[in-house]
mmCIF file of all heavy atoms in Angstrom:
data_model
loop_
_atom_site.group_PDB
_atom_site.id
_atom_site.type_symbol
_atom_site.label_atom_id
_atom_site.label_comp_id
_atom_site.label_asym_id
_atom_site.label_seq_id
_atom_site.Cartn_x
_atom_site.Cartn_y
_atom_site.Cartn_z
ATOM 1 N N VAL A 109 2.746 -6.111 -5.453
ATOM 2 C CA VAL A 109 1.867 -5.993 -4.292
ATOM 3 C C VAL A 109 0.462 -6.313 -4.780
ATOM 4 O O VAL A 109 0.055 -5.872 -5.857
ATOM 5 C CB VAL A 109 1.906 -4.562 -3.697
ATOM 6 C CG1 VAL A 109 0.989 -4.447 -2.494
ATOM 7 C CG2 VAL A 109 3.328 -4.174 -3.325
ATOM 8 N N ALA A 110 -0.273 -7.107 -4.004
ATOM 9 C CA ALA A 110 -1.630 -7.504 -4.396
ATOM 10 C C ALA A 110 -2.542 -7.463 -3.178
ATOM 11 O O ALA A 110 -2.092 -7.294 -2.040
ATOM 12 C CB ALA A 110 -1.610 -8.903 -5.004
ATOM 13 N N ALA A 111 -3.802 -7.628 -3.439
ATOM 14 C CA ALA A 111 -4.796 -7.688 -2.369
ATOM 15 C C ALA A 111 -4.773 -9.091 -1.754
ATOM 16 O O ALA A 111 -4.777 -10.081 -2.472
ATOM 17 C CB ALA A 111 -6.185 -7.395 -2.919
ATOM 18 N N PRO A 112 -4.731 -9.171 -0.437
ATOM 19 C CA PRO A 112 -4.807 -10.482 0.205
ATOM 20 C C PRO A 112 -6.226 -11.031 0.137
ATOM 21 O O PRO A 112 -7.192 -10.274 -0.015
ATOM 22 C CB PRO A 112 -4.387 -10.195 1.646
ATOM 23 C CG PRO A 112 -4.667 -8.752 1.854
ATOM 24 C CD PRO A 112 -4.564 -8.088 0.512
ATOM 25 N N SER A 113 -6.340 -12.345 0.244
ATOM 26 C CA SER A 113 -7.661 -12.978 0.267
ATOM 27 C C SER A 113 -8.347 -12.665 1.597
ATOM 28 O O SER A 113 -7.702 -12.203 2.549
ATOM 29 C CB SER A 113 -7.518 -14.495 0.100
ATOM 30 O OG SER A 113 -6.904 -15.046 1.251
ATOM 31 N N GLU A 114 -9.633 -12.957 1.669
ATOM 32 C CA GLU A 114 -10.374 -12.731 2.919
ATOM 33 C C GLU A 114 -9.780 -13.551 4.053
ATOM 34 O O GLU A 114 -9.662 -13.069 5.181
ATOM 35 C CB GLU A 114 -11.855 -13.082 2.743
ATOM 36 C CG GLU A 114 -12.666 -11.983 2.121
ATOM 37 C CD GLU A 114 -14.158 -12.300 2.134
ATOM 38 O OE1 GLU A 114 -14.658 -12.815 3.160
ATOM 39 O OE2 GLU A 114 -14.801 -12.024 1.123
ATOM 40 N N ALA A 115 -9.404 -14.786 3.744
ATOM 41 C CA ALA A 115 -8.802 -15.653 4.767
ATOM 42 C C ALA A 115 -7.473 -15.083 5.251
ATOM 43 O O ALA A 115 -7.173 -15.139 6.448
ATOM 44 C CB ALA A 115 -8.606 -17.060 4.211
ATOM 45 N N GLU A 116 -6.680 -14.529 4.344
ATOM 46 C CA GLU A 116 -5.398 -13.936 4.725
ATOM 47 C C GLU A 116 -5.605 -12.688 5.579
ATOM 48 O O GLU A 116 -4.872 -12.468 6.546
ATOM 49 C CB GLU A 116 -4.573 -13.605 3.483
ATOM 50 C CG GLU A 116 -4.067 -14.842 2.751
ATOM 51 C CD GLU A 116 -3.492 -14.539 1.390
ATOM 52 O OE1 GLU A 116 -3.992 -13.616 0.699
ATOM 53 O OE2 GLU A 116 -2.552 -15.255 0.991
ATOM 54 N N VAL A 117 -6.602 -11.891 5.242
ATOM 55 C CA VAL A 117 -6.914 -10.699 6.041
ATOM 56 C C VAL A 117 -7.375 -11.114 7.433
ATOM 57 O O VAL A 117 -6.954 -10.538 8.440
ATOM 58 C CB VAL A 117 -7.983 -9.819 5.349
ATOM 59 C CG1 VAL A 117 -8.478 -8.717 6.275
ATOM 60 C CG2 VAL A 117 -7.442 -9.235 4.061
ATOM 61 N N GLU A 118 -8.224 -12.126 7.486
ATOM 62 C CA GLU A 118 -8.721 -12.610 8.774
ATOM 63 C C GLU A 118 -7.574 -13.129 9.645
ATOM 64 O O GLU A 118 -7.505 -12.830 10.845
ATOM 65 C CB GLU A 118 -9.745 -13.724 8.541
ATOM 66 C CG GLU A 118 -10.472 -14.156 9.786
ATOM 67 C CD GLU A 118 -11.551 -15.166 9.464
ATOM 68 O OE1 GLU A 118 -12.434 -14.862 8.636
ATOM 69 O OE2 GLU A 118 -11.507 -16.269 10.053
ATOM 70 N N LYS A 119 -6.660 -13.879 9.040
ATOM 71 C CA LYS A 119 -5.499 -14.389 9.770
ATOM 72 C C LYS A 119 -4.631 -13.232 10.270
ATOM 73 O O LYS A 119 -4.179 -13.233 11.410
ATOM 74 C CB LYS A 119 -4.679 -15.319 8.873
ATOM 75 C CG LYS A 119 -3.483 -15.914 9.564
ATOM 76 C CD LYS A 119 -2.702 -16.828 8.651
ATOM 77 C CE LYS A 119 -1.479 -17.350 9.404
ATOM 78 N NZ LYS A 119 -0.510 -17.975 8.525
ATOM 79 N N PHE A 120 -4.389 -12.249 9.415
ATOM 80 C CA PHE A 120 -3.605 -11.070 9.805
ATOM 81 C C PHE A 120 -4.260 -10.373 10.997
ATOM 82 O O PHE A 120 -3.592 -10.049 11.980
ATOM 83 C CB PHE A 120 -3.481 -10.106 8.620
ATOM 84 C CG PHE A 120 -2.838 -8.799 8.975
ATOM 85 C CD1 PHE A 120 -1.457 -8.682 8.981
ATOM 86 C CD2 PHE A 120 -3.600 -7.686 9.306
ATOM 87 C CE1 PHE A 120 -0.846 -7.475 9.323
ATOM 88 C CE2 PHE A 120 -3.002 -6.486 9.638
ATOM 89 C CZ PHE A 120 -1.620 -6.385 9.652
#
Side-chain angles (χ1 to χ4, degrees):
V109 180
S113 68
E114 277 188 42
E116 290 169 326
V117 170
E118 189 175 304
K119 181 180 178 194
F120 173 85

